Amino acid sequence: AIASIFMQQIKDNVLAPKLMGDFTGLNPIWIFIALLIGGQIAGLLGVLVSVPLAGTIKDTIDTLRLLRQPSVVTTETVSRNPNDS
């Protein structure tokens, strides 16, 4: 029974957040925080919805950061013909 409880704790607290983090792109710490906040706000439904919602928020912030980056302008001329040097 002790070995079973130990393995369950490892699976739930180490392996599951790591796999969820790889799937959603979130750090496992943020997954725990999202689960805790979702549980406090909306109970079981909040726990079920919190990780996808956190992933969506992360992707939105990443997209906004990419849009704010300045465009790269080059001054070099690129030749399309490999024989032109």
Side-chain angles (χ1 to χ4, degrees), residues 1-60:
I2 293 174
S4 176
I5 292 171
F6 179 74
M7 293 304 292
Q8 182 74 26
Q9 290 298 315
I10 295 292
K11 182 185 78 120
D12 289 343
N13 295 320
V14 176
L15 190 60
K18 174 68 175 136
L19 292 175
M20 281 276 239
D22 291 344
F23 180 69
T24 61
L26 290 171
N27 189 321
I29 296 290
W30 290 113
I31 292 174
F32 276 128
I33 291 171
L35 290 171
L36 292 172
I37 291 172
Q40 285 293 321
I41 292 174
L44 182 60
L45 181 62
V47 170
L48 294 174
V49 176
S50 62
V51 174
L53 184 61
T56 301
I57 291 170
K58 178 194 176 294
D59 287 342
T60 302

